[in-house]
Amino acid sequence: MAKHDLDPNYLDPNYEPVVNHTENTPFHQVLSARMQRRTVMKGSVGAALASVMGLGLAGCGSDSNDSTTSSNVSSTDIGFRAVPTSTANEVVVPEGYSSEAFLPWGTPITGSYPAYKPDGTNTGAEQEQQMGMHHDGVHFFPIDLKAGGNSSSEGLLVMNHEYINQGALHANGATYVNDMRPADEVRKEIAAHGVSVVHIKRDTNGKWDIVFGSPFNRRITGNTEMDIRGPVRGYSKLITKYSPDATETRGTLNNCAMGPTPWGTYLAAEENWHGYFANGDATQPREQTRHGVGSSSRYDWELADSAADQYVRFNVSTIGATAADDYRNEANTYGYMVEIDPFTPESKPQKRTALGRFGHEGVIFAPAREGKPVVCYSGDDSRFEYIYKFVSSKPYYAATAGGYLLDEGTLYVARFNDDGSGDWLSLDLDDADFAAKVAAAEGTQVGDVQFDGFENQADVLLNTRLAADIAGATPMDRPEWGAVDPNSGQVYFTLTNNSRRTEEQVNAANPNANNRTGHIIRWSEEGNDHTATSFDWDIFVFAGEQGTETVVDDEVIVSLTDDNIFNSPDGLWFDYNGRLWIQTDGSDAAPYQNNMMLAANPETREIKRFFVGPVGCEVTGVVSTPDVKTMFVNIQHPDGNWPDSSDPRPRDATVIVTKDDGGVIGA
């Protein structure tokens, strides 16, 4: 039994406490009840951008060694028959498609390649060499990417491992001895988090497998050494016993979605990191309270029966004489986007602090333009939190681009106005408007925080949520994954749900009280310029049961049917032809049943269900090869004995989907 009684919410891996009590309502009026599930935008938004989005891929043509034709086409038509909802403990794909499980949790990928043991007796050291648990965001990097190629038969598959199932991970679940946890159990749990880099290749029969012995195969875990980069590097509030100069930390945790950079690296998001730390002090700093750090942690890692700092650091109480003598600031080294170079296995991951510190769901880049700033977007996955945009101060040049572009720039937060317009609000102390708001707020109560100002820009970024409160951003219904349309340049974000929004709290962009099913919002930047500080928005689709309508100019644009009912949109991705793929993480009760993935035509708003996962899972993370003929879809936390019915433990896994005729998926 545990030493202390945990808040039962912490047993829910998706639990994110509501910690935004500012009640920002930057609208003159809100929608009436009759307009629920209807867009407020009058008319269409934005003109099409002429160029295709670049995400580090040279193009969408075929391999030079393949006989396939190019898939670099503009068609977004959906050419499959929708699959029905399902309660089966299996993956369902359309007629004419096949699927197979790949790289389940515990698969050996590096080091001595220790075999997975179905009785749960793998050690912590072995887990550090195996696929982690709870697969999430994923990206395929063609093996010849750095040479300007776009192979669809060999590459590096990189994916996040968000959290764990302790009952499946250990032989007998998590155990305690004298109110302490065995250190190797904790080591194993830390190792099951993080990121996996796997070199994979398709053989002549079309079957994918690991390239065993490849130097690219790698595990980044919750204990991997990392650098702090950007404006927060060296800031006093990040000083720890491990890094007295506040330039380093260890590990990345609760990695949800991700973002491939235009220069071919991988950004892993740190989302619900707050639950991994415990603070027993009578009072906590705002850097913790605004995120929900509590007196107990999710997995009790701080209770490991070892004095090693790799475990002690999860206790963020004040213990030593100074910050350099304990880990009171350890939680301040989490909540960032973490850059990993999959092609340089000896490289150290970098925490990019200029993108802000909050519950990052992921990051998505706008098309990179030669000589122009880099622009990326990120959502803060919690009820009543915000959507952010980063614009680099240095221009992008393909020949020299790198992570340094993410170390200097301006972070903005979004305000969605009730007339369908929007504004990007700077969170920079050098911006006169923001500085004036900060000055006006000093000495006042901002939500649950008695605001006493910011020391410097590093302090602003460390307290990004608080800065956004002060700026007057729009509180959203759990902004999760984003995606940029490669054909139009429009930006899409899922707003997964928010059952805690009341009638008094609805606003134009979040018009539904007790929003249990969610919606997808999109916008066009002014002048089709992603660096602009204003935009026009509309709601792409409301999720819900059959008959749920999305309306523009009093015309029903979408009316959901049995072919496309869904709830709680979460994962979002545009394939290289411009089809939008929507993944769900919501109720698995009728009428929705198991979680699913749908395909959407962004031009016509036609939506069809393409994929249904096994019982109890979240369908999360999707990418394809550049030719769009192999799709990788992640299955997280299945309930039943999936994918192997003979295995006593459920195993997260990647699903490979192909078309039986070898064609383009979705076409």
Side-chain angles (χ1 to χ4, degrees):
M1 60 182 294
K3 177 180 178 181
H4 48 68
D5 294 327
L6 287 175
D7 180 337
N9 285 310
Y10 274 114
L11 301 178
D12 176 1
N14 293 314
Y15 172 61
E16 171 73 21
V18 174
V19 289
N20 184 1
H21 298 137
T22 58
E23 298 184 355
N24 282 347
T25 54
F27 302 100
H28 299 299
Q29 53 185 297
V30 294
L31 297 185
S32 63
R34 69 181 179 84
M35 288 295 290
Q36 291 183 12
R37 300 191 184 282
R38 294 189 168 218
T39 64
V40 296
M41 187 65 186
K42 296 299 182 181
S44 60
V45 284
L49 290 174
S51 58
V52 174
M53 177 191 214
L55 292 177
L57 296 175
C60 301
S62 64
D63 292 355
S64 58
N65 295 327
D66 293 346
S67 60
T68 56
T69 59
S70 172
S71 64
N72 190 11
V73 296
S74 61
S75 173
T76 55
D77 291 344
I78 299 173
F80 58 87
R81 179 174 297 177
V83 299
T85 58
S86 171
T87 59
N89 194 35
E90 63 184 12
V91 168
V92 179
V93 293
E95 181 181 354
Y97 287 81
S98 297
S99 67
E100 63 173 318
F102 186 51
L103 298 175
W105 156 60
T107 300
I109 62 169
T110 189
S112 62
Y113 292 87
Y116 163 76
K117 297 177 181 178
D119 62 0
T121 59
N122 282 114
T123 66
E126 290 171 336
Q127 178 63 78
E128 289 167 348
Q129 304 169 73
Q130 299 169 327
M131 293 294 295
M133 262 191 165
H134 288 11
H135 301 19
D136 209 306
V138 60
H139 192 72
F140 177 85
F141 294 87
I143 197 64
D144 54 0
L145 176 63
K146 296 294 187 179
N150 59 345
S151 173
S152 289
S153 60
E154 183 177 1
L156 305 182
L157 195 66
V158 188
M159 73 179 72
N160 294 341
H161 303 289
E162 187 178 7
Y163 60 102
I164 58 173
N165 175 348
Q166 289 177 304
L169 187 64
H170 305 298
N172 300 298
T175 62
Y176 293 77
V177 179
N178 297 324
D179 294 331
M180 302 293 286
R181 297 212 48 215
D184 197 63
E185 281 190 6
V186 175
R187 179 180 179 180
K188 186 177 182 181
E189 292 176 12
I190 293 172
H193 286 72
V195 176
S196 290
V197 181
V198 192
H199 187 174
I200 62 173
K201 188 175 183 178
R202 191 178 60 198
D203 64 21
T204 55
N205 295 318
K207 185 174 180 59
W208 290 89
D209 201 357
I210 302 169
V211 178
F212 293 95
S214 169
F216 296 122
N217 292 336
R218 182 184 183 191
R219 280 301 321 280
I220 293 97
T221 75
N223 203 42
T224 300
E225 293 182 354
M226 303 192 173
D227 281 336
I228 306 293
R229 294 292 180 182
V232 185
R233 178 180 172 86
Y235 183 38
S236 60
K237 291 184 180 181
L238 273 68
I239 290 173
T240 65
K241 184 178 178 181
Y242 176 75
S243 183
D245 63 355
T247 61
E248 295 179 289
T249 189
R250 283 170 292 188
T252 184
L253 296 169
N254 212 258
N255 305 106
C256 196
M258 52 81 230
T261 69
W263 46 92
T265 60
Y266 180 93
L267 286 172
E270 297 181 327
E271 189 196 359
N272 289 326
W273 49 269
H274 67 276
Y276 293 82
F277 300 97
N279 187 338
D281 294 346
T283 60
Q284 296 179 1
R286 66 191 186 187
E287 291 81 20
Q288 295 179 18
T289 57
R290 188 59 181 82
H291 288 274
V293 173
S295 59
S296 60
S297 68
R298 180 176 297 167
Y299 301 122
D300 284 339
W301 291 348
E302 74 280 6
L303 301 182
D305 59 0
S306 169
D309 281 358
Q310 64 176 320
Y311 310 120
V312 173
R313 65 192 176 99
F314 294 102
N315 180 355
V316 293
S317 307
T318 302
I319 298 172
T322 71
D325 300 310
D326 60 23
Y327 287 95
R328 69 187 72 173
N329 290 331
E330 182 75 3
N332 292 346
T333 70
Y334 284 79
Y336 305 102
M337 296 301 307
V338 182
E339 186 173 14
I340 297 165
D341 184 350
F343 292 99
T344 310
E346 68 278 9
S347 63
K348 208 172 177 181
Q350 314 281 311
K351 296 206 175 186
R352 299 293 179 191
T353 64
L355 275 62
R357 173 178 173 265
F358 47 89
H360 282 277
E361 176 73 17
V363 70
I364 185 69
F365 284 80
R369 306 295 187 205
E370 198 76 4
K372 301 293 184 180
V374 167
V375 179
C376 59
Y377 302 87
S378 188
D380 187 349
D381 180 14
S382 186
R383 301 173 184 92
F384 304 108
E385 294 298 345
Y386 309 121
I387 294 174
Y388 298 87
K389 176 170 79 171
F390 172 81
V391 180
S392 69
S393 59
K394 295 181 179 179
Y396 168 86
Y397 294 103
T400 59
Y404 69 89
L405 290 168
L406 302 180
D407 284 342
E408 298 178 17
T410 302
L411 186 66
Y412 298 89
V413 66
R415 180 176 65 203
F416 292 83
N417 301 317
D418 56 351
D419 62 356
S421 67
D423 301 291
W424 289 109
L425 309 174
S426 170
L427 302 180
D428 190 334
L429 288 174
D430 288 335
D431 179 85
D433 288 342
F434 178 63
K437 292 176 182 177
V438 170
E442 287 191 30
T444 69
Q445 190 79 14
V446 180
D448 291 337
V449 174
Q450 180 63 33
F451 182 60
D452 57 359
F454 294 118
E455 290 183 348
N456 48 38
Q457 187 60 25
D459 200 17
V460 170
L461 294 169
L462 186 64
N463 292 278
T464 303
R465 283 180 170 177
L466 180 59
D469 296 338
I470 293 168
T474 303
M476 308 298 285
D477 285 348
R478 287 186 60 201
E480 298 213 35
W481 294 52
V484 177
D485 188 332
N487 294 320
S488 73
Q490 289 180 302
V491 186
Y492 290 65
F493 259 79
T494 54
L495 301 175
T496 298
N497 53 47
N498 185 357
S499 59
R500 300 191 187 184
R501 189 178 290 275
T502 66
E503 290 285 356
E504 292 72 29
Q505 293 171 315
V506 299
N507 57 52
N510 305 270
N512 292 331
N514 189 28
N515 182 9
R516 294 182 178 275
T517 54
H519 53 291
I520 299 174
I521 199 166
R522 67 177 178 181
W523 63 86
S524 295
E525 300 281 14
E526 183 182 12
N528 297 325
D529 178 3
H530 287 92
T531 68
T533 56
S534 61
F535 57 91
D536 290 321
W537 65 270
D538 73 351
I539 291 174
F540 178 68
V541 66
F542 286 103
E545 300 182 4
Q546 183 170 350
T548 298
E549 294 180 346
T550 304
V551 177
V552 174
D553 284 340
D554 297 324
E555 178 184 355
V556 177
I557 302 300
V558 181
S559 181
L560 298 184
T561 70
D562 286 341
D563 285 347
N564 56 19
I565 58 170
F566 68 103
N567 79 100
S568 300
D570 189 340
L572 201 64
W573 177 68
F574 274 101
D575 68 27
Y576 304 117
N577 293 327
R579 294 181 189 84
L580 180 64
W581 298 87
I582 304 166
Q583 299 177 308
T584 71
D585 178 23
S587 169
D588 55 4
Y592 309 106
Q593 311 301 356
N594 296 357
N595 277 293
M596 63 189 69
M597 181 171 71
L598 308 96
N601 183 328
E603 299 171 5
T604 65
R605 302 198 209 206
E606 178 187 20
I607 302 172
K608 289 184 181 180
R609 188 180 304 106
F610 176 82
F611 179 110
V612 182
V615 172
C617 81
E618 172 187 352
V619 180
T620 179
V622 56
V623 72
S624 75
T625 51
D627 62 9
V628 200
K629 295 184 178 182
T630 299
M631 178 177 276
F632 303 95
V633 183
N634 276 341
I635 296 297
Q636 185 183 111
H637 61 72
D639 278 349
N641 294 357
W642 183 90
D644 182 356
S645 60
S646 66
D647 191 325
R649 297 167 193 273
R651 297 173 71 186
D652 315 274
T654 300
V655 175
I656 296 175
V657 180
T658 53
K659 202 170 184 181
D660 295 344
D661 64 5
V664 171
I665 292 173

